[in-house]
Amino acid sequence: MKPPKKKVAATDALVGLWTISLTAFVVATLYFTRELLIPLALSALLTFLLAPLVSRIERWVGRIAAVLLVVTLIFIGTGAAGWMLTRQLIDLAIKLPEYKGNIVTKMHAFETPKGGAFSQISNTVEELKKELPGGSAAVEAPVVSQEAGKPQTAVTSPPAAPAPAVPVQVIETSRANPFELLQTIVAPLLGPLGTGALVLILVICMLFQREDLRNRLIRLIGQGRISTTTRAMDDAAARVSRYLLMQFIVNLTYGVFVAIGLYFIGVPNPMLWGAFGMVLRFIPYVGPWIACVIPTVLALAVSPHWNMPILTLALFGGLELILNNVMEPLLYGSSTGVSSIALIIAAVFWTWLWGPIGLVLATPLTVCLVVIGHHVPRLSFLSVVLSDEDALTPAEDCYHRMLTIGEKDEMELVDSYLKSNSLTSLYDALFIPVITAAEMDERLEVLEEDQLVLVRQSMRDIIDDLGTRPGKVVQPSANAEKSEALAPVIPCSVYCLPARAERDELVGEMLAQLLKQEGFTAFNASGKLVVGELIALTENEDVDLVCISVVAPSTVTHARYLCSKLRAQQPDLKIIVGLWGEAGDISASAKILRDAGADEIVISLADAVAQITKLAPFLVEQHAPAGLPADEEERLVALANLELLNKAPDPLLDRLTAKLTRIFEVPIALISLIDRDRQCFVSQAGLPDDLVKKGEIPRDVSICGHVVLANEPLIVSDLARDRRFASNPMIKERGFRFYAGVPLRTVNGQPIGSFCILDTKPRHLDEREKRLLQEYGKEVMEEITHRASVGELVKAG
């Protein structure tokens, strides 16, 4: 029983409200506890980076010594780096007064010349400001004075001059307290130093207890699902490790090239700025440009010209372009699994939450969230929002486009998909999931009937359009051995029957189209037909195999009923059932269908085509020799009168057959006569040696016998795909694939043999080549008739 829609909507609203409240609580917790969480996050990251090194050293000296040794090495390395940077800074401070003249010159270069356009605009603005009410102009108004009651005595006098400025002397009453001075200098450093000490203590403790912390984390998060939790932690560790390693390589490269570039440009202390840039580049987005500011300003101070600062800017900009567009995509690849827009949003969010430390930790934390979303179903929304995977699968995207009224851009998706995938993959991976989803949505009353009709019609239009496109022709290999090794499809007749509805018919149409491209004769029945009508179709047609199409929500029950009816009516018929799109275990369904009479059960169109191709050689009837013409006895008498059987090879005819192999570019050309029980080779070029020695083959395996029977030219582009010859033992043994022959007719029009060419790979003849072959056939027959006439004259003489 389906729940009421209003109740479902209310439940969804409550879930959404709960999700929003939980998210707000988490963000608030992260914000108000940042003073504690930042050291913990930094400690965890450092522990993660140092743990592999500690584990290796621990094998030799023990855990305590290994941890202390690693921490000591970090102190030594940090101290050495700090000492080098301090020396560089001191050197820069000593040289800085020497650059005063260049700095003044550069500052004067930015002064606006007097009398210029900008100066005039500025003066005009100042004058207008004086004229405004309340401006300085109103203060400087003239003074008017007169005697009482005598206006004629009014006198205007200029405004009074402003009072002169009185200098103010600042007297220092007392000197600052030394303790207050010390507090002013040291207080700002206590916070970072305390945080650093806390991080150091936490790192040492975490390194000592890393296995215990890992186990407790697995117990806390996993809740009994140890394998899933372990997989998630390994995935997160691998991604973060790859990201940090690649970032270290990129930043090291950046710092080295910055130092080298600045050295050749002439900027002082290039090693300092290279190291500075390497460190700052660990801060995403803003770090490289912060590192660029000081060297550029220093270049402005050092150089009397503009070349040095411009080159410095070009160096940093060029390195960023190369690293961002070449090196980082090459090294990072999909190491993080986070989309670019998600990284930017995460950087903004964590920076707002935790400041600069949050910006540094943004990428590792986001990677961990993506991994959690991958492995925890209830938090899968994190993976959807943050990961670099496509938001919609190709099938979901196709379904969305088909539901969008008026857009009709699903063909764009189809064409794009077919550029890198086969038509079979398109039907299996896109169309079958789309039709299944649409039918299930309509059954659950989340899709209107007119929308379902729209999806079906869109899909039918696309299938029809794809059916009109030329199929991919398999080009034979130039190597004859490879060509013979191919397993060609032996064609047979296949009927696709829907189990119940139009959805089954649609997939049946896809299968029929694929089979036609492979050379099969394929039909598809309408989904509106009942079981009796479907069975009648298979009885009326020459069908070798039936494929029952089942698309959810059609069930195995419908297929079993149709299958049992078919088996009862046609016991020898091959039956395949396609449970299209089934992803789970089908063993139970397969047993039910096999008990009902099915021979094979498949779940994809690719499997169906492969199974039908595999069954095709057993479906094609056994090779049957060509029948006898109605005037067989008269034909044999005409052949005997020519007296050409059992004669020695004729050099003239041999030259003619050899010439034809060159003209038609084929390996074999034959002039044959068809006797009562055999095919005799009068002349040949390129025939295998054993056949040349025999000089004949049985008539029941002769292809030329069909030419004599029809008394018409016979051209077969691929013998292995022609039902008349696919199981011919001569074709299978010798690997012949192409045949073209014309009858050799007597003056009475009776065919006595054939002139033919053969190849070991499929090919086609154009109209000109067909006419040319017939003309050479007439020429061969004229030569045979002429030689028979000469023989009769010799006997008469």
Side-chain angles (χ1 to χ4, degrees):
M1 183 176 179
K2 299 178 182 178
K5 291 186 177 180
K6 292 184 178 179
K7 186 175 181 180
V8 173
T11 303
D12 292 342
L14 289 175
V15 171
L17 181 61
W18 179 85
T19 304
I20 294 173
S21 302
L22 180 61
T23 304
F25 173 75
V26 171
V27 172
T29 303
L30 291 173
Y31 181 78
F32 289 110
T33 60
R34 61 186 182 275
E35 297 296 336
L36 175 62
L37 292 180
I38 289 175
L40 284 175
L42 287 174
S43 303
L45 182 61
L46 290 174
T47 303
F48 170 76
L49 295 174
L50 297 176
L53 179 60
V54 172
S55 298
R56 292 183 180 181
I57 300 176
E58 184 179 329
R59 301 172 187 173
W60 304 95
V61 297
R63 171 161 300 188
I64 297 177
V67 172
L68 295 178
L69 178 61
V70 169
V71 173
T72 304
L73 291 175
I74 292 176
F75 267 110
I76 295 174
T78 305
W83 180 79
M84 292 179 61
L85 292 177
T86 304
R87 291 291 303 271
Q88 295 283 323
L89 287 172
I90 293 172
D91 182 63
L92 176 62
I94 294 173
K95 295 179 180 178
L96 197 58
E98 301 176 6
Y99 310 140
K100 180 179 178 181
N102 293 332
I103 296 174
V104 173
T105 303
K106 296 292 190 308
M107 294 176 63
H108 286 316
F110 288 99
E111 291 182 358
T112 306
K114 296 182 178 180
F118 290 104
S119 298
Q120 294 178 4
I121 294 174
S122 178
N123 294 334
T124 303
V125 171
E126 291 297 328
E127 292 176 359
L128 291 175
K129 287 169 64 176
K130 292 179 180 179
E131 298 298 329
L132 291 174
S136 59
V139 178
E140 298 177 356
V143 179
V144 180
S145 59
Q146 64 178 7
E147 294 180 8
K150 297 180 179 181
Q152 64 274 12
T153 62
V155 178
T156 302
S157 60
V166 178
V168 178
Q169 182 179 5
V170 178
I171 301 174
E172 185 178 0
T173 58
S174 63
R175 295 185 177 272
N177 191 333
F179 292 102
E180 295 178 357
L181 182 63
L182 182 63
Q183 181 181 0
T184 305
I185 297 174
V186 176
L189 299 177
L190 291 179
L193 289 175
T195 302
L198 179 59
V199 169
L200 177 62
I201 295 172
L202 288 174
V203 167
I204 294 175
C205 295
M206 288 180 178
L207 287 175
F208 278 130
Q209 301 292 328
R210 58 186 184 277
E211 287 87 359
D212 182 66
L213 289 174
R214 181 198 61 196
N215 296 338
R216 293 180 184 277
L217 188 63
I218 292 175
R219 178 69 180 273
L220 178 65
I221 299 177
Q223 298 180 355
R225 296 186 296 271
I226 295 179
S227 62
T228 303
T229 308
T230 304
R231 241 185 355 259
M233 293 180 66
D234 291 342
D235 188 10
R239 293 193 187 199
V240 174
S241 298
R242 285 197 303 268
Y243 167 74
L244 292 176
L245 177 60
M246 294 303 104
Q247 190 177 37
F248 175 76
I249 293 174
V250 171
N251 293 357
L252 180 61
T253 305
Y254 177 81
V256 170
F257 278 97
V258 164
I260 295 174
L262 293 179
Y263 172 79
F264 285 105
I265 292 174
V267 178
N269 307 99
M271 291 182 59
L272 172 65
W273 310 124
F276 193 59
M278 174 185 169
V279 173
L280 286 178
R281 207 175 185 280
F282 280 96
I283 303 176
Y285 309 112
V286 299
W289 302 111
I290 295 175
C292 171
V293 171
I294 299 179
T296 304
V297 173
L298 186 58
L300 284 169
V302 171
S303 174
H305 306 290
W306 293 94
N307 295 341
M308 188 178 293
I310 292 174
L311 289 175
T312 303
L313 284 173
L315 173 66
F316 280 91
L319 284 175
E320 278 300 305
L321 286 175
I322 295 173
L323 294 180
N324 290 336
N325 296 287
V326 179
M327 193 170 180
E328 287 185 354
L330 184 63
L331 292 178
Y332 287 166
S334 57
S335 60
T336 61
V338 183
S339 66
S340 301
I341 186 66
L343 284 176
I344 296 174
I345 295 174
V348 174
F349 172 76
W350 290 107
T351 303
W352 166 77
L353 202 63
W354 288 354
I357 301 298
L359 183 59
V360 175
L361 296 175
T363 299
L365 290 173
T366 308
V367 169
C368 294
L369 292 177
V370 170
V371 172
I372 291 173
H374 273 301
H375 295 279
V376 181
R378 293 184 179 180
L379 299 177
S380 59
F381 68 92
L382 293 173
S383 177
V384 174
V385 173
L386 301 175
S387 73
D388 58 356
E389 297 176 354
D390 292 334
L392 296 178
T393 65
E396 292 170 340
D397 190 12
C398 185
Y399 186 24
H400 160 70
R401 294 183 186 222
M402 288 184 178
L403 288 175
T404 305
I405 301 176
E407 295 294 332
K408 295 298 180 183
D409 58 348
E410 56 268 16
M411 275 307 300
E412 179 182 348
L413 175 65
V414 169
D415 292 335
S416 175
Y417 189 87
L418 288 176
K419 290 179 181 179
S420 56
N421 299 277
S422 65
L423 183 61
T424 307
S425 176
L426 172 73
Y427 288 157
D428 275 331
L430 263 71
F431 282 13
I432 291 179
V434 167
I435 192 64
T436 303
E439 295 286 346
M440 294 300 295
D441 286 348
E442 193 272 339
R443 190 185 183 96
L444 296 173
E445 298 183 359
V446 296
L447 188 71
E448 301 295 336
E449 177 65 26
D450 56 345
Q451 291 179 303
L452 179 61
V453 172
L454 176 65
V455 171
R456 287 175 178 171
Q457 188 58 45
S458 299
M459 189 168 294
R460 194 177 295 277
D461 293 342
I462 295 174
I463 295 173
D464 293 342
D465 179 72
L466 295 175
T468 60
R469 299 183 184 184
K472 294 182 179 179
V473 179
V474 179
Q475 297 295 338
S477 172
N479 190 329
E481 294 181 0
K482 292 182 180 179
S483 179
E484 292 176 7
L486 295 175
V489 175
I490 300 176
C492 60
S493 180
V494 181
Y495 224 119
C496 301
L497 303 181
R500 187 186 185 192
E502 185 179 355
R503 54 181 173 268
D504 308 316
E505 176 195 346
L506 277 173
V507 182
E509 185 64 30
M510 301 176 199
L511 178 59
Q513 187 182 104
L514 294 174
L515 292 174
K516 290 176 183 177
Q517 291 188 358
E518 294 294 332
F520 291 95
T521 302
F523 308 95
N524 185 43
S526 171
K528 299 179 181 179
L529 300 179
V530 297
V531 172
E533 294 173 320
L534 294 175
I535 295 175
L537 279 178
T538 61
E539 291 176 342
N540 296 334
E541 300 287 343
D542 183 17
V543 178
D544 298 308
L545 182 145
V546 164
C547 183
I548 300 176
S549 179
V550 183
V551 179
S554 297
T555 63
V556 175
T557 303
H558 304 116
R560 179 182 63 180
Y561 179 72
L562 177 56
C563 185
S564 61
K565 291 295 183 181
L566 283 170
R567 182 58 68 204
Q569 294 291 329
Q570 303 182 57
D572 298 329
L573 183 65
K574 288 289 184 182
I575 301 175
I576 292 179
V577 179
L579 303 177
W580 313 123
E582 287 291 334
D585 184 12
I586 63 167
S587 56
S589 301
K591 184 178 184 304
I592 293 173
L593 293 171
R594 290 185 190 278
D595 292 342
D599 295 292
E600 297 290 343
I601 290 86
V602 295
I603 60 175
S604 67
L605 296 177
D607 292 341
V609 174
Q611 283 294 337
I612 294 172
T613 303
K614 181 180 178 181
L615 293 173
F618 305 100
L619 299 175
V620 177
E621 60 185 16
Q622 293 296 322
H623 168 70
L628 300 179
D631 57 346
E632 175 67 8
E633 294 301 326
E634 292 82 357
R635 190 191 69 79
L636 292 175
V637 170
L639 175 60
N641 292 335
L642 292 175
E643 297 182 354
L644 295 175
L645 298 174
N646 303 321
K647 288 283 187 75
D650 189 320
L652 180 60
L653 295 179
D654 289 344
R655 286 196 297 270
L656 181 58
T657 51
K659 177 182 177 181
L660 292 177
T661 59
R662 296 190 298 271
I663 293 175
F664 288 96
E665 298 180 351
V666 293
I668 301 172
L670 288 176
I671 298 174
S672 303
L673 300 177
I674 304 301
D675 199 2
R676 186 181 298 276
D677 299 316
R678 58 179 179 162
Q679 173 181 344
C680 301
F681 305 133
V682 176
S683 178
Q684 60 80 30
L687 203 63
D689 293 339
D690 58 328
L691 293 181
V692 174
K693 291 178 180 179
K694 291 180 180 179
E696 63 183 37
I697 59 173
R699 184 175 178 179
D700 58 356
V701 297
S702 168
I703 305 175
C704 296
H706 292 266
V707 178
V708 170
L709 173 64
N711 198 12
E712 293 291 341
L714 174 64
I715 300 175
V716 183
S717 298
D718 191 348
L719 293 167
R721 289 177 176 264
D722 193 298
R723 297 189 66 180
R724 296 168 295 177
F725 309 110
S727 55
N728 188 320
M730 177 67 69
I731 305 301
K732 292 183 176 180
E733 180 182 353
R734 303 294 175 176
F736 298 144
R737 297 291 296 276
F738 168 76
Y739 177 89
V742 294
L744 301 178
R745 301 187 183 97
T746 63
V747 292
N748 296 327
Q750 293 170 329
I752 59 170
S754 71
F755 165 65
C756 66
I757 54 176
L758 295 99
D759 203 341
T760 55
K761 58 186 179 182
R763 59 174 294 172
H764 297 273
L765 292 183
D766 56 28
E767 293 300 323
R768 186 190 67 82
E769 291 174 323
K770 292 177 183 178
R771 291 194 301 269
L772 186 61
L773 184 64
Q774 293 182 24
E775 292 299 325
Y776 275 113
K778 293 178 182 178
E779 182 179 340
V780 169
M781 192 60 208
E782 290 174 357
E783 182 63 28
I784 290 175
T785 304
H786 172 69
R787 290 193 173 273
S789 301
V790 172
E792 291 179 358
L793 292 175
V794 171
K795 285 183 178 181

